[in-house]
Amino acid sequence: MKANFFTSTLLWAVVGLIAVALTPLFVKSNYWLGVLAFMAINTILAVGLNLLMGYAGQVSLGHAAFYGIGAYTTAILTTQYGVSPWLAMPAGILITCIIAYLVGVPCLRLHGHYLAMATLGFGWIVFIVLVHWDGLTLGTSGVEKIPKLAIGSLVFDNDVKRFFLTWVTAILLLLVSANIVRSRVGRALRALHSSENAAATMGVDVSRYKVMVFVLSAAYAALAGSLYAHVVNFISPSVFGFIVSVELVVMVVIGGMASVWGAAVGAATITMLVEWLRSLGEAVPVFKEFDVIAHGLILVLVMLFLPAGLTVGVRDLVLRWVKRRRPAPAPQEKPKEVARV
Amino acid sequence: MEQLPDILQYLFSGLATGSIYAIVAVGFTIIFSSTQVVNFAQGEFVMLGAMGTYMLTAWNWHNADYAGLHLPLWLAIAGAVLLAALIGMLLGCLLIRPLETSPFLLLLITFAGGWFCYQNLVLLRNPDPLTPAMPLPAFIGLAVVTFALLGVAIYLLIGVILGKIRSGKEASVPSQIIVTVGASMLFQGIASQLWGKDAVSVDGLASGALLWQLPNTPYPVAMEYQKFWVMGLTLAMVLLLTLFFNGTIIGKAMRAVSVNRHGARLMGINVPRMVIGAFALSAALGALAGAAIAPISCGYYNMGTMMGLKGFAAAIVGGLGNFTGSVIAGLLLGVMESLAAGYISSDYKDAFAFIVLLVVLIISPHGLPALIKRYRKAAAQ
C-alpha cells in the first residue's frame, strides 16, 4: 500500500533524523542553531498540547504553567540543592504530573468555556506565584547559572550539541505521540472528542482518558521546560506567562489540530515568524514589537479562512487543485433502470 | 472598633473595583446569551474606553507642536464609547458571518494595516526636528488615501486568495475562542503601537476624596469621588439595562434571540442585526467602564487583560448567561479581592480572583446560581 508507506511514522521519523543530522552542515550560524533548538522545544510543547486539544478536544489556556513548573523545579533543584540534572529533570516532570493530576481531576469535569477559563485561571495563579514567591523562585530576576546537561564527558555546551539534544528529543517525542494517537488510547480520545456520551456508551472511560491525556500533555510541557532551563541556563517568569499559553494554542491551531505533524509545522512556523519579525523590527524601527499584532492578525485570519489549520487547509487546496486539473471521469454507465413490477 | 475604618476602606474600594468587574461581566453575558460566544476581547473594550478618552483629551497625536484635542470630558467619553461600539460591531460581524460582511472586513483590515502607514507618515512628516513639518491637513489627507489604498489592496489579495477556499461552516467553539483571543492581541498590539506602552493619566469626572471620620476611630475613611461615579454609573447601567431588556421591543427581541435563535427568526426578528447590536452594546458598556476606572487606575495598553479575565471570572461564577448573577458575582469578587489584598497579601491580589473561580467551578461546574438552586431543591425535599 503506497499510502501506508508514505504515512508511516517510522519513515518520517527517519527522514526527520537525517534532516536533523544534516542541518549543521548547512546552518553555520550559532544564532540560527539556537533558534532551531528553540523551535524543537516549541515542537515538544505543541505536540503535547495537540494531544489534549486536537485529539481529545479539551481546550487549555494555561499550558505555560506546566512548562514553567517543569523548568523551575529542575532549575531550583540543580542550582539551590545541587541535584544532578538527570535526577532533577524527572523530578520536575513527576511534580508537574502530580499537579496536573490534582488540577485535572476536578477541572476536566468542566466543558468548553468553563474549562478554558479554569485552565486560564490556573495558568495565572502559577505565573503570579512564580513572580512573587521570591524565596524560592527569586522573583522577576529569574534563576541564573542553571548547569548544562552532560552525558559522561560529553557536555552540551555549544549550539551544535544543543541543537542535536533538543531535536533528537523532539523527534523521539513526536514518535511517541504518533504511536499513542494510533493506539487504542488515541481512538478513545478521538471518540470522546466527537461525542462524550457516544464514547462512554462504547465503553470508553471518558473522565479517566481525559485526565490521562491532560497529565500526559503536562508531562510533555514539563520536559520541554526542563530542556529549556538546561539549554538556555537562565529562566524568568516572563517565559511562562499567559501570552506563552496563547502562543502555544496558536501553534497547535495554525498547524491544524488532530495531526501530530501539523503541530510540529505550527511550532516551526510560529518560531520562524517570531524570529523573522524580531529581525525585521531591528532593521526597521516601525516594525518593532509587531509580533503581538502579527500573532493576533494571523490567528484571526487563519481561523476565519482556514478553520482546519494550515496543514489540512493547504492539503485540501492542493487536492482541489489536482482535482481541477484532472476532472473526475464521467460516470461510465448509467444507473440501472429500476425493475418494473 | 480600631479595625472599622480599614474594613470600610477595603469594602469601599472593593465595591468600586467590583462595579467594573460587574459591568465587564454583564458585557460577557450579553454577548454570550445572544451568540453562545465567549468574547475574550471584552477586556480590550475597557482599554479602548480608557485610551479612547485619553486620545480625545490629552494625547497629542504624535505631533510635537500640537497640544491635543482637549474635548470636554463628557464628549470625549461619548466618543470613546462610540468608537468601542463600532469596533465591537466589527468583531461581531467577523464572528457570526465572516463571508457576507466583506465591507466590514475591509474596514478592519484597513484599520489594522493603516496605522503602519500612519507611523511611516509620521516619520516622513517629522524626519528630524530641523526640517519643517508637513502641514497637518496635507498630512491627514495623505494618510487617509494611503489607508484606503492599502486596505483595498490587502482586502483584494485576501479575497482572491482565500475567499474561495473558506468552508461555509460557522466557527466552532474552540475556534471562536481563538478568534476572540486573537482579536484581543490585535487590539493590544495596535494600542501599544498607537498610544505607547507607558501608563497615561486620564482626567476624571471628579477629583479629591470625601474623608469620613467615624467616632472613636484613629483615622478617617477616604472615599474618592471618582469611585462614587464608578458605582453610580454601574447602578445606572444595571437599571437601564433591566429597563431595556424588559421594556423595549429591541431589548425583548434580543432576549428572544438568546432564548431560541430559530424561534426568534420565525417571529420575524432580524437575528444577525440583534447579534451585532449585542456586540455593540457590550463593547459600549466595557468602554464606559474603562473611561470610569481610568482616572483611578491609569490607562495603559494591556489594562484590558486583567479586567477582561476578572470580568469573565465573575460571569462564570455568576453562571454564564445570567444577568443578575454576573452583577452580584462581580461585586463579590471585587470586595473579596480588596479584603484579601488588605488582610492576606497584596502581592497575590490578582491570584485571589482565580482561586475563587477555581474553587467555585470545582464545587459547582455551572457557577453559583446552580449551587443555590441545588441547595434549595435539597432543602425543599
Side-chain angles (χ1 to χ4, degrees), chain B residues 31-340:
Chain B
I31 289 185
F32 181 78
S33 49
S34 62
T35 55
Q36 310 292 308
V37 170
V38 166
N39 176 21
F40 276 90
Q42 190 67 31
E44 306 315 322
F45 295 128
V46 178
M47 179 270 290
L48 278 174
M51 299 307 281
T53 312
Y54 166 65
M55 177 175 78
L56 295 176
T57 51
W59 191 48
N60 70 1
W61 298 75
H62 286 300
N63 186 350
D65 45 54
Y66 181 62
L69 284 176
H70 289 294
L71 291 183
L73 192 59
W74 60 271
L75 203 60
I77 291 177
V81 167
L82 201 67
L83 176 76
L86 277 177
I87 293 175
M89 280 165 83
L90 288 186
L91 186 64
C93 289
L94 271 182
L95 276 171
I96 55 160
R97 34 175 204 181
L99 214 56
E100 293 109 287
T101 52
S102 29
F104 287 101
L105 191 60
L106 172 70
L107 269 177
L108 183 82
I109 290 165
T110 317
F111 183 69
W115 66 270
F116 252 163
C117 310
Y118 174 74
Q119 296 248 320
N120 277 315
L121 286 172
V122 167
L123 281 181
L124 265 184
R125 188 164 178 253
N126 289 325
D128 60 90
L130 295 176
T131 42
M134 193 190 293
L136 194 66
F139 167 66
I140 291 174
L142 192 60
V144 167
V145 171
T146 327
F147 280 31
L149 285 181
L150 188 88
V152 171
I154 296 178
Y155 171 69
L156 285 180
L157 198 71
I158 290 173
V160 169
I161 298 174
L162 298 171
K164 286 173 187 162
I165 53 169
R166 192 192 157 272
S167 63
K169 284 183 292 186
E170 204 168 284
S172 65
V173 171
S175 59
Q176 280 171 351
I177 293 180
I178 290 158
V179 169
T180 54
V181 168
S184 147
M185 294 167 77
L186 191 63
F187 292 155
Q188 264 185 36
I190 294 173
S192 75
Q193 290 288 336
L194 204 54
W195 296 305
K197 293 201 160 183
D198 301 328
V200 296
S201 66
V202 180
D203 293 342
L205 288 159
S207 57
L210 176 71
L211 295 178
W212 182 27
Q213 177 72 54
L214 288 152
N216 304 326
T217 52
Y219 42 85
V221 185
M223 299 193 281
E224 292 93 330
Y225 291 120
Q226 180 70 24
K227 290 189 178 170
F228 283 115
W229 269 108
V230 170
M231 289 183 227
L233 275 176
T234 309
L235 190 67
M237 256 184 274
V238 169
L239 289 178
L240 281 177
L241 281 176
T242 315
L243 276 180
F244 173 72
F245 280 120
N246 293 307
T248 66
I249 196 77
I250 302 177
K252 284 178 184 170
M254 273 190 190
R255 267 174 54 213
V257 171
S258 74
V259 173
N260 186 333
R261 287 180 104 166
H262 296 291
R265 203 159 144 196
L266 287 176
M267 292 296 109
I269 294 169
N270 187 340
V271 175
R273 191 174 289 172
M274 289 304 137
V275 168
I276 292 168
F279 267 91
L281 184 61
S282 106
L285 281 177
L288 197 54
I293 196 75
I296 301 168
S297 72
C298 288
Y300 43 97
Y301 77 104
N302 62 357
M303 67 187 290
T305 312
M306 264 300 158
M307 287 290 173
L309 292 180
K310 285 177 186 164
F312 185 21
I316 293 258
V317 169
L320 208 49
N322 185 331
F323 182 84
T324 329
S326 42
V327 174
I328 294 173
L331 291 174
L332 275 179
L333 212 58
V335 170
M336 218 150 18
E337 191 182 278
S338 169
L339 286 175

Side-chain angles (χ1 to χ4, degrees), chain A residues 109 117 124 288-289 304, chain B residues 166 193 197 309 312 362:
Chain A
R109 290 185 307 152
M117 188 65 215
W124 268 106
K288 220 169 204 175
E289 313 208 14
L304 288 178
Chain B
R166 192 192 157 272
Q193 290 288 336
K197 293 201 160 183
L309 292 180
F312 185 21
I362 287 168

Side-chain angles (χ1 to χ4, degrees), chain A residues 15-16 29-30 41 43 51 63 164 168 184 201 249 253 295 317:
Chain A
V15 169
S29 131
N30 280 341
I41 290 173
T43 305
L51 286 176
H63 226 59
F164 280 128
V168 170
R184 186 185 163 78
T201 321
V249 174
V253 171
H295 265 165
L317 250 186

Side-chain angles (χ1 to χ4, degrees), chain A residues 276-289:
Chain A
W276 181 69
L277 287 170
R278 187 175 299 156
S279 54
L280 192 69
E282 275 161 20
V284 189
V286 175
F287 290 91
K288 220 169 204 175
E289 313 208 14

Side-chain angles (χ1 to χ4, degrees), chain A residues 89-107:
Chain A
M89 281 172 69
I93 296 170
L94 189 69
I95 288 176
T96 312
C97 286
I98 293 170
I99 293 175
Y101 182 78
L102 293 179
V103 173
V105 167
C107 283

